[in-house]
């Protein structure tokens, strides 16, 4: 059969919740277009019910993921990078279409995103060394501070950087043992929804990352007010929405990471998402547990350790 007589098989994009790929419970979709206004795909338009379901899935996964060793989490994150490397061509196409980039620039963005994922994978068993340690105290005690994950984190993905920015906000959340409910960029959700397929075929347990697409404000409001969400990253919110969400988040004392200027710059220079991320996103959603323990005494002379 010649290609002229063959019907194209269009990709169906779905949500990623609890390790599965549901359609929106409302059945709604919306059109996603490229930078020139040409149709790319229909993306599911998530509802508040979808957001609540994602929180339930994230909470269910939190115990196992936070209880895994940091080294094991690093292995899992590295596996995600391996899977992304194998599907690089797909993401280059989606990023180029979503962000209006040339193929070469999109390829550079995808390479940077994969490298960023590897970078965070390497930090899983090291962040404790800079965010915790032994504290000097007056008395015969050990005083140790150790970082622990906050819990379920709602993440508003960057509006402009559909893949590098997306990876830059998801990876540090789960690297430190949290679970995430991610609202993809409303204008460019396709790389995020495809990332769900990568996570499902890697070693990330279902529910650790949940990805929703739709109207950001419509989904963010119930998440900011949700009593079982422990923190929220407002990167993808404009100033007005961020203020509203921060007020709602105060009801149960959520940790809040305010929007950063970085999303305003989608270029490849040092001012955009390609800049070195540092460790501030790793420590943004960590709690510090401090333990006191008596040193005790050894021997007849009463020497202590």
């Amino acid at each position: 059969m010649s290609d002229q007589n063959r019907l194209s098989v269009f990709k169906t994009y779905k949500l990623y919740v609890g390790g599965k790929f549901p359609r929106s419970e409302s059945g709604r979709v919306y059109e996603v277009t490229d930078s020139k206004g040409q149709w790319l795909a229909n993306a599911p338009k998530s509802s508040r019910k979808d957001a609540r379901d994602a929180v339930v899935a994230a909470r269910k996964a939190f115990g196992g993921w936070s209880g895994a060793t940091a080294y094991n989490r690093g292995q899992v994150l590295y596996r995600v990078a391996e899977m992304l490397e194998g599907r690089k061509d797909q993401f280059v196409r989606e990023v180029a279409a979503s962000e209006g980039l040339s193929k070469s620039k999109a390829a550079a963005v995808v390479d940077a995103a994969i490298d960023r994922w590897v970078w965070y994978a390497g930090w899983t068993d090291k962040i404790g060394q800079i965010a915790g340690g032994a504290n000097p105290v007056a008395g015969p005690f050990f005083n140790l501070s150790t970082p622990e994950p906050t819990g379920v984190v709602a993440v508003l993905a960057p509006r402009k950087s559909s893949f590098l920015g997306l990876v830059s906000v998801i990876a540090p959340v789960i690297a430190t043992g949290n679970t995430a409910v991610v609202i993809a960029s409303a204008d460019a959700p396709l790389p995020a929804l495809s990332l769900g397929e990568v996570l499902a075929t890697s070693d990330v347990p279902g529910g650790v990352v949940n990805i929703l697409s739709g109207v950001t404000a419509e989904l963010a409001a119930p998440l900011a007010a949700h009593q079982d969400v422990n923190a929220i990253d407002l990167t993808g919110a404009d100033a007005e929405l961020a203020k509203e969400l921060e007020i709602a988040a105060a009801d149960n004392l959520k940790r809040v990471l305010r929007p950063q200027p970085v999303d305003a710059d989608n270029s490849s220079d040092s001012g955009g998402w390609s800049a070195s991320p540092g460790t501030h996103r790793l420590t943004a959603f960590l709690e510090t547990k401090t333990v006191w323990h008596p040193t005790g005494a050894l021997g007849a002379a009463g020497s202590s350790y």
Side-chain angles (χ1 to χ4, degrees), residues 54-55 58-59 62 150-154 178-181 228-232:
V55 173
R59 176 58 62 192
F62 176 69
T150 296
V152 175
V153 181
N178 298 288
T179 54
V181 176
D228 206 23
V229 173
N230 304 106
I232 187 167

Side-chain angles (χ1 to χ4, degrees), residues 135-145 289-295:
N135 308 309
V137 294
F141 302 98
F142 290 123
N143 183 265
L144 305 174
S145 293
K289 179 177 73 174
T290 300
V291 177
W292 293 70
H293 194 283
T295 59

Side-chain angles (χ1 to χ4, degrees), residues 243-304:
K243 182 178 180 179
E244 294 175 3
L245 298 177
E246 192 166 357
I247 292 172
D251 192 46
N252 72 332
L253 304 179
K254 290 180 178 65
R255 282 182 173 266
V256 175
L257 182 62
R258 294 181 174 88
Q260 306 296 311
V262 64
D263 193 38
D265 186 352
N266 195 28
S267 64
S268 60
D269 62 28
S270 60
W273 285 102
S274 58
S276 176
T279 59
H280 74 282
R281 287 189 175 275
L282 286 164
T283 57
F285 304 118
L286 287 175
E287 309 290 340
T288 299
K289 179 177 73 174
T290 300
V291 177
W292 293 70
H293 194 283
T295 59
L298 294 175
S303 60
S304 61

Side-chain angles (χ1 to χ4, degrees), residues 14-18 46 54 166 170 180-184 189 191-197 199 209-213:
K14 297 183 181 180
L15 308 178
Y16 182 57
V17 177
S46 304
L166 175 78
I170 293 178
V181 176
V182 182
I183 304 175
L193 298 176
S194 291
L195 178 62
E197 298 174 0
L199 297 173
V209 178
N210 306 274
I211 301 175
L212 307 172
S213 58

Side-chain angles (χ1 to χ4, degrees), residues 15-258:
L15 308 178
Y16 182 57
V17 177
K20 299 179 180 179
F21 295 94
R23 303 177 189 272
S24 172
E25 62 86 26
S26 67
R28 300 179 302 172
V29 298
Y30 69 100
E31 291 188 355
V32 178
T33 59
D34 62 15
S35 58
K36 298 179 181 179
Q38 296 180 325
W39 181 87
L40 292 174
N42 289 334
K45 193 173 184 180
S46 304
S47 67
R48 291 170 177 256
K49 174 66 163 53
D50 293 316
R52 292 194 296 270
D53 289 345
V55 173
V56 171
R59 176 58 62 192
K60 184 177 179 180
F62 176 69
W65 183 243
S66 62
T69 65
Y71 178 73
N72 178 246
R73 286 199 298 270
Q75 289 179 308
V76 171
L77 263 68
Y78 186 82
R79 176 61 176 166
V80 174
E82 289 182 4
M83 301 298 288
L84 287 172
E85 187 78 20
R87 296 179 61 165
K88 185 187 299 185
D89 290 345
Q90 174 193 350
F91 282 98
V92 169
R93 291 193 302 271
E94 291 181 343
V95 169
S98 296
E99 301 182 23
L101 302 177
S102 66
K103 185 176 180 180
S104 61
K105 288 185 177 180
V109 168
V110 173
D111 284 342
I114 296 172
D115 293 346
R116 181 68 48 85
W117 202 281
V118 173
W119 193 83
Y120 278 117
W123 269 106
T124 57
D125 59 353
K126 301 173 183 66
I127 190 63
Q129 308 307 309
I130 66 169
N135 308 309
V137 294
F141 302 98
F142 290 123
N143 183 265
L144 305 174
S145 293
T146 57
E148 293 188 341
T150 296
V152 175
V153 181
V155 179
L156 279 62
R159 290 168 289 171
K160 296 181 180 180
S161 185
S162 65
F163 194 52
L164 177 56
L166 175 78
V167 167
S168 298
V169 296
I170 293 178
V173 169
I174 66 172
T176 48
N178 298 288
T179 54
V181 176
V182 182
I183 304 175
S185 165
D187 295 330
L190 303 188
L193 298 176
S194 291
L195 178 62
E197 298 174 0
V198 171
L199 297 173
T201 53
S202 66
D203 297 327
V204 179
V208 171
V209 178
N210 306 274
I211 301 175
L212 307 172
S213 58
V215 180
T216 300
E218 184 178 327
L219 298 172
L223 291 176
H226 202 299
Q227 296 298 298
D228 206 23
V229 173
N230 304 106
I232 187 167
D233 180 346
L234 300 176
T235 295
D238 59 29
E240 183 178 352
L241 177 60
K243 182 178 180 179
E244 294 175 3
L245 298 177
E246 192 166 357
I247 292 172
D251 192 46
N252 72 332
L253 304 179
K254 290 180 178 65
R255 282 182 173 266
V256 175
L257 182 62
R258 294 181 174 88

